[in-house]
Amino acid sequence: MLPRAHRRLLVPLLAVALVGALAGCALFDRDEPGTPQAQSTASAGGGARLEIPTTVAAGQVSLIQRLGEDGPLRTLSVERDGAWQCVDCAGDGVTSRGMLAPELTARLQVLLATPALADETDQARRYRTTCIDALTSSLLTSTGLITSQDCPGEERTPVAGEILLLLTQATPAEIEG
């Protein structure tokens, strides 16, 4: 049996690995090139709801956040035109939709097209989660997955950090501890 501290680190690592694995699998399951894919499941009300996206096209971004290993999973997807959808934004099970302001949409597109973003991916940085019970944020961009944790001593990636700040300030809710 794993010690408690190891089990607590295992969940965020598995979540990141799952997103990466799903992204790889989704490359073989596209209707047309450049079309974002998302898993859909039936909710309690019988309708389908968006879950974790597995790929995004250029100009699109998805944010997946979780506070600790037991916190709710927040997923936010933003289209090129600034339209966004957030599932379980505040941990209340509610799906919200809206539009980013035109200046924020323009800024987001500039950030997503920045060549330095490719150097900030988990793969390029060989990123590993290290904190227990921290807010883990994963940005899924067309260049790859970029994960960060809110914990002491962790350096923020410049471009992805700015994207994360833009998204969390421009949408309805941040996960609170």
Side-chain angles (χ1 to χ4, degrees):
M1 182 115 196
L2 290 173
R4 181 172 170 82
H6 290 207
R7 282 184 277 149
R8 296 174 84 180
L9 284 173
L10 188 60
V11 171
L13 291 172
L14 290 175
V16 170
L18 175 63
V19 169
L22 291 174
C25 293
L27 293 174
F28 301 103
D29 188 28
R30 293 180 179 225
D31 294 331
E32 57 184 83
T35 303
Q37 302 291 311
Q39 294 179 344
S40 181
T41 60
S43 64
R49 65 179 183 95
L50 185 66
E51 289 224 347
I52 299 173
T54 56
T55 62
V56 295
Q60 297 174 324
V61 63
S62 289
L63 168 64
I64 301 134
Q65 288 185 310
R66 173 168 275 162
L67 180 58
E69 68 178 57
D70 298 326
L73 187 67
R74 173 187 191 216
T75 59
L76 170 72
S77 297
V78 182
E79 300 295 324
R80 275 189 204 111
D81 65 358
W84 56 263
Q85 176 175 327
C86 188
V87 177
D88 204 16
C89 288
D92 56 5
V94 174
T95 297
S96 302
R97 291 178 177 78
M99 290 289 293
L100 294 177
E103 63 276 5
L104 292 178
T105 301
R107 180 67 185 142
L108 179 60
Q109 291 308 308
V110 167
L111 291 168
L112 289 172
T114 303
L117 192 61
D119 295 331
E120 297 181 10
T121 64
D122 291 357
Q123 183 176 8
R125 295 181 299 144
R126 298 180 186 252
Y127 183 80
R128 295 181 323 161
T129 57
T130 56
C131 295
I132 298 171
D133 288 335
L135 176 62
T136 302
S137 301
S138 297
L139 289 169
L140 183 58
T141 69
S142 62
T143 59
L145 184 67
I146 304 166
T147 304
S148 63
Q149 286 188 299
D150 287 345
C151 56
E154 179 156 331
E155 290 184 34
R156 286 276 185 214
T157 52
V159 180
E162 194 169 335
I163 292 170
L164 180 61
L165 184 63
L166 185 153
L167 295 177
T168 57
Q169 289 181 342
T171 56
E174 286 188 67
I175 296 179
E176 297 178 5

